[in-house]
Amino acid sequence: MTSPGRAAARAPEGWLRFAAPQQFYPLAGRLAPWFAALAALLTIVGLYIGFFLAPTDFQQGEVYRVIFIHVPAAWMSMLIYLVMAFWSAVGLVMNTRLSFIMSQALAPTGAMFCFVALWTGALWGKPTWGAYWVWDARLTSQLLLLFLYFGFIALTRAIEDPRRADRAGAVLALVGAVNVPIIYFSVQWWNTLHQGASVSLTKAPSMASIMLAGMLVMALAAWMYSIAVALWRVRALILERERHTEWVGEVLEAEARTAGGVR
């Protein structure tokens, strides 16, 4: 009969075993290329639909095509922050190192999408509103989201103790998540220049089906890209965090031998 002490020392079984960085590291390496390939394929399809198949808008002309980049980027900037907050909450409650690493791996990609959303929105706003920037409720709250991303990245990098950095970043991610619904509902709560949502769960989309298809494909491409990049970044963070462990030394030796064999 197995003693209680030995039973407690057993490694988790099933999917729970991937909560350990040592187990998740090879899985992330296997999955990342597949998500990257899907991202590339979907991007090609989405851009082809948006720039070649979708008709010209009768009001805005050709300039509206920026939505095939702007809208998916804006969606992803909000969604990634919510996922960061989720992993931060899991890390605080379950005290799992990998959860904090996942949150930190997502932050640079979320910041990139937030910047792209603001930049493409400015390009769209000039011919539409006559100005690159206005202190509109949605634009201002979106800019605040970018600062939250920068603040999260800076905070987790500035604190030398990884445990303290993890918890400080997690608290900031959870507090900053309040800004996401403000961004989404700002056009309903306040009188803003920004147009309302073109896609809603409660009513039919206010655009042609081919336009909607292109935008959704591009959104899916952005999601696949985010997963691929996050998985690669997680691997790098795991190696950095676990660099003093025996298993990381074995991984680096194996990779060095593989690289030497390829040469």
Side-chain angles (χ1 to χ4, degrees), residues 38-39 42-43 69 72-73 75-77 80 109 112-113 215-229:
L38 283 173
L42 289 168
T43 298
I69 298 174
W75 285 347
M76 288 307 304
S77 69
I80 288 177
T109 304
M112 181 273 292
F113 276 119
M215 196 164 62
L216 293 179
V217 170
M218 286 298 294
L220 188 57
W223 190 228
M224 296 299 103
Y225 167 83
S226 301
I227 295 174
V229 172

Side-chain angles (χ1 to χ4, degrees), residues 183-194:
I183 297 172
Y184 186 80
F185 292 107
S186 58
V187 294
Q188 302 177 24
W189 292 345
W190 295 287
N191 183 23
T192 68
L193 288 175
H194 199 286

